[in-house]
């Protein structure tokens, strides 16, 4: 597949449009529901259930793989997501906002999962292997930048509106309408920026590649049992950390939180956190491209998980200065940007071969399952343990994935740029 436009034109915002709805649905919704009076237990349970479309997306990924072009799929899904967010904005002021907004978020989640399938497939088809490893850092950085835009700038906007109106429902209603407009802009940009030379799959190829053969071929890969265990357990700690981190930052100090305002959280993640993440993601892609995945797998995993110790210290000592929180967030975001590149590069290796779009989707579906199940229990675990012991538990939960990574077999130079 040849592209008229340089990957620099379309990779950043295409992957931003993949991560942006995800962060709104999975993460920003957590703070929104928290500020609208929903309990930690209900937040952990119901927002984790929103992972389900990403878990089961392999069930329909072969259909996306075999019908139409990836470009048509991600553009139509992005438009649907835009409409869904606008609807949520109008639903929030109603008395039944919780269940109604969850239902619309579910629609958006299915569209977002489908958008991810098409976007991932487009990336794998449009770039050579050398380009894939080089742009992996850029891709993951802009995906993660969308996370920080949601957790930073969007939350900052919501916090400003909360203070401006003194009405959380009105503030979050306007915020979600703005989110819908941002998503509309991203859809329009991607319509004009992404290459249009992708060819639809032929009828012959469709006949040769049906759902059963595509799905079954994934489970015939070498080390498949170990691979699935690694994918499921790698984010065991992170899945729980992400759900309870925002409640920890905004809960009052009398119940173990850090007592920050909504705006404070937005500033921390939207400024220094974003810069640290960007630097980490770019360096991660460059490191793998220069030396290959094998050399960097262990250092990247450690860099990603060790900053959790910072949250343990915050929970136990509650420093008065906000700068300690800034320092922990900067380390965590840099570590995530640098370390997560290794995990995503390994998933690309797992998807190698025919039907790489579907196989990548299956791998990320198991990854989402590994995020959903622990996340559903995170609110209950936090309430039982308290924030300090909860973060210790989260840190210990990263160990199984680290151990399994040492037994994975893949070429030493996988991801290394060819001379």
């Amino acid at each position: 597949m040849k592209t008229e436009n340089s990957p620099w034109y379309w990779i950043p915002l295409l992957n931003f449009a993949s991560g942006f709805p995800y962060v709104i649905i999975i993460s920003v919704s957590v703070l929104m529901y928290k500020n609208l009076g929903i309990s930690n237990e209900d937040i952990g349970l119901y927002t984790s259930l929103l992972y389900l479309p990403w878990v089961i997306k392999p069930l329909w990924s072969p259909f996306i793989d075999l019908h139409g072009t990836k470009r048509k799929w991600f553009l139509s899904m992005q438009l649907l997501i835009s409409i869904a967010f606008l609807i949520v904005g109008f639903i929030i002021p109603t008395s039944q906002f919780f269940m109604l907004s969850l239902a619309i978020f579910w629609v958006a989640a299915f569209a977002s999962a489908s958008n991810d399938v098409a976007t991932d497939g487009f990336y794998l088809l449009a770039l050579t292997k050398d380009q894939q490893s080089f742009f992996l850092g850029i891709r993951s950085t802009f995906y993660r930048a969308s996370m920080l835009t949601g957790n930073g700038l969007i939350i900052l906007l919501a916090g400003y509106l909360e203070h401006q109106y003194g009405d959380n429902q009105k503030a979050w209603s306007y915020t979600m309408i703005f989110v819908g407009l941002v998503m509309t802009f991203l859809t329009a940009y991607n319509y004009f920026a992404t290459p249009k030379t992708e060819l639809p799959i032929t009828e012959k190829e469709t006949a040769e590649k049906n759902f059963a053969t595509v799905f079954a071929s994934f489970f015939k890969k070498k080390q498949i049992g170990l691979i699935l265990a690694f994918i499921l357990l790698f984010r065991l700690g992170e899945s729980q950390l992400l759900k309870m981190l925002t409640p920890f930052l905004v809960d009052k100090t009398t119940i173990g939180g850090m007592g920050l305002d909504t705006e404070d959280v937005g500033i921390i993640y939207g400024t220094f956190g974003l810069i640290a993440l960007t630097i980490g993601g770019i360096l991660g892609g460059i490191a793998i491209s220069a030396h290959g995945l094998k050399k960097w797998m262990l250092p990247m995993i450690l860099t990603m998980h060790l900053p959790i110790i910072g949250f343990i210290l915050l929970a136990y000592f509650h420093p008065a200065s906000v700068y300690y929180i800034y320092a922990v967030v900067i380390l965590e975001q840099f570590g995530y940007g640098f370390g997560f590149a290794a995990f995503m590069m390994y998933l690309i290796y797992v998807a190698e071969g025919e039907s790489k779009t579907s196989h990548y989707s299956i791998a990320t579906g198991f990854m989402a399952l590994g995020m959903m199940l622990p996340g559903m229990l995170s609110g209950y675990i936090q309430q039982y343990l308290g924030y300090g012991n909860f973060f210790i538990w989260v840190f210990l939960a990263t160990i199984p994935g680290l151990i399994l990574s040492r037994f994975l077999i893949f070429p030493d130079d996988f991801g290394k740029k060819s001379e």
Side-chain angles (χ1 to χ4, degrees):
M1 171 178 170
K2 296 180 179 179
T3 62
E4 313 101 317
N5 298 337
S6 164
W8 287 102
Y9 286 107
W10 56 268
I11 283 179
L13 287 193
L14 181 61
N15 287 281
F16 190 95
S18 185
F20 188 65
Y22 178 87
V23 71
I24 299 298
I25 296 166
I26 297 298
S27 183
V28 175
S29 65
V30 171
L31 183 58
M32 183 183 81
Y33 289 134
K34 180 73 176 178
N35 287 3
L36 295 177
I38 308 300
S39 69
N40 278 10
E41 292 92 336
D42 284 345
I43 289 172
L45 176 61
Y46 290 108
T47 62
S48 290
L49 282 172
L50 292 171
Y51 279 118
L52 187 60
W54 283 276
V55 174
I56 63 175
K57 69 180 179 180
L59 297 179
W60 69 87
S61 61
F63 183 84
I64 295 175
D65 205 9
L66 300 175
H67 296 85
T69 65
K70 308 299 181 294
R71 184 175 181 274
K72 289 180 180 178
W73 272 104
F74 64 65
L75 289 175
S76 59
M77 291 300 102
Q78 288 172 21
L79 180 60
L80 178 57
I81 295 165
S82 304
I83 296 170
F85 285 154
L86 291 171
I87 293 174
V88 169
F90 290 108
I91 283 175
I92 288 174
T94 67
S95 60
Q96 301 296 321
F97 77 91
F98 184 47
M99 299 311 296
L100 289 174
S101 61
L102 281 173
I104 301 300
F105 276 143
W106 261 73
V107 174
F110 275 99
S112 184
S114 301
N115 176 50
D116 289 351
V117 172
T119 299
D120 292 339
F122 195 77
Y123 178 82
L124 296 174
L125 291 171
L127 304 180
T128 65
K129 288 184 180 180
D130 285 353
Q131 288 177 317
Q132 287 175 22
S133 60
F134 178 80
F135 280 101
L136 183 66
I138 305 300
R139 185 184 187 220
S140 61
T141 294
F142 275 88
Y143 186 91
R144 187 63 177 169
S146 69
M147 303 286 177
L148 291 185
T149 300
N151 288 326
L153 300 181
I154 298 302
I155 287 178
L156 182 61
L157 171 64
Y160 170 78
L161 294 177
E162 285 177 357
H163 288 142
Q164 187 77 11
Y165 294 112
D167 182 341
N168 287 4
Q169 282 195 325
K170 180 182 286 188
W172 281 98
S173 174
Y174 290 164
T175 299
M176 290 306 303
I177 291 172
F178 176 74
V179 166
L181 295 176
V182 171
M183 196 66 208
T184 302
F185 165 77
L186 292 171
T187 306
Y189 178 89
N190 290 325
Y191 175 81
F192 291 105
T194 52
K196 306 174 181 64
T197 53
E198 181 189 1
L199 299 176
I201 194 165
T202 66
E203 292 184 10
K204 180 181 178 182
E205 289 175 308
T206 302
E208 292 174 349
K209 295 168 121 183
N210 57 54
F211 173 84
T213 57
V214 168
F215 201 77
S217 62
F218 177 83
F219 294 93
K220 295 178 181 178
K221 294 179 180 290
K222 294 180 180 179
Q223 282 197 307
I224 188 60
L226 182 61
I227 288 171
L228 293 180
F230 173 70
I231 293 174
L232 285 169
L233 293 174
F234 180 75
R235 303 182 78 181
L236 179 61
E238 179 200 355
S239 61
Q240 299 171 78
L241 178 70
L242 290 179
K243 283 298 169 190
M244 290 299 111
L245 187 52
T246 301
F248 167 65
L249 293 176
V250 300
D251 265 340
K252 295 179 180 178
T253 55
T254 53
I255 58 174
M258 296 304 296
L260 300 183
D261 291 333
T262 301
E263 287 181 89
D264 294 329
V265 176
I267 291 171
I268 290 172
Y269 278 96
T271 54
F272 296 103
L274 178 59
I275 293 170
L277 170 90
T278 302
I279 294 172
I282 292 174
L283 291 178
I286 292 174
I288 294 175
S289 180
H291 304 289
L293 178 60
K294 193 77 171 181
K295 179 177 179 178
W296 284 103
M297 179 69 104
L298 179 60
M300 285 183 165
I301 292 176
L302 292 174
T303 304
M304 181 176 172
H305 291 148
L306 286 176
I308 295 173
I309 296 173
F311 292 109
I312 298 173
L313 297 176
L314 287 179
Y316 274 101
F317 294 102
H318 287 86
S321 174
V322 73
Y323 293 111
Y324 289 103
I325 302 175
Y326 273 81
V328 172
V329 170
I330 288 171
L331 287 174
E332 187 262 338
Q333 291 300 310
F334 175 84
Y336 188 98
F338 186 71
F340 198 62
F343 184 61
M344 298 308 293
M345 194 70 215
Y346 181 72
L347 294 189
I348 290 177
Y349 167 74
V350 172
E352 283 285 285
E354 293 186 7
S355 305
K356 62 176 63 178
T357 299
S358 294
H359 286 183
Y360 191 82
S361 175
I362 293 170
T364 55
F366 277 101
M367 177 185 72
L369 180 62
M371 294 289 287
M372 182 183 79
L373 296 179
M376 289 172 64
L377 300 174
S378 59
Y380 297 95
I381 297 173
Q382 181 277 314
Q383 288 291 85
Y384 180 75
L385 295 177
Y387 281 117
N389 290 337
F390 173 75
F391 289 130
I392 292 176
W393 156 248
V394 165
F395 181 71
L396 294 176
T398 66
I399 295 174
L402 174 63
I403 293 173
L404 289 174
S405 71
R406 308 312 298 156
F407 297 96
L408 298 174
I409 298 174
F410 52 89
D412 290 355
D413 62 348
F414 185 79
K416 184 177 180 179
K417 185 176 180 180
S418 300
E419 295 298 332

